[in-house]
């Protein structure tokens, strides 16, 4: 629907199954650990970057969006 290929998209997820789905689609995944899971569960599914909170992600947005 966005009209872009997987190389131009990004998935932002906080659940292991969502990370897995993004990776399976060939899209880079940024994980936000906003819940009780250990970071390793999100990273094991293939997240390229992991942030410990939405605030940490937002603070880095300008750097990511280049």
């Amino acid at each position: 629907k966005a009209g872009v290929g997987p190389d131009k998209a990004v998935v932002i997820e906080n659940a292991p199954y969502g990370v897995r789905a993004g990776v399976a689609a060939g899209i880079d995944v940024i994980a936000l650990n906003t819940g009780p899971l250990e970071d390793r569960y999100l990273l094991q599914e293939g997240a390229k970057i992991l942030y410990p909170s939405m605030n940490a992600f937002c603070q880095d947005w300008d750097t990511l969006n280049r």
Side-chain angles (χ1 to χ4, degrees):
K1 290 183 179 183
V4 298
D7 62 322
K8 301 289 184 204
V10 65
V11 170
I12 301 168
E13 250 310 330
N14 70 343
Y17 289 127
V19 173
R20 185 184 304 171
V23 170
I27 303 171
D28 287 340
V29 178
I30 297 172
L32 301 179
N33 197 350
T34 59
L37 292 176
E38 294 179 26
D39 292 347
R40 66 184 171 101
Y41 293 110
L42 298 167
L43 295 171
Q44 285 173 344
E45 294 298 339
K48 297 276 184 182
I49 302 171
L50 179 112
Y51 286 94
S53 67
M54 182 62 84
N55 285 338
F57 171 70
C58 290
Q59 288 174 358
D60 208 21
W61 176 250
D62 288 334
T63 301
L64 291 170
N65 200 26
R66 291 181 190 191

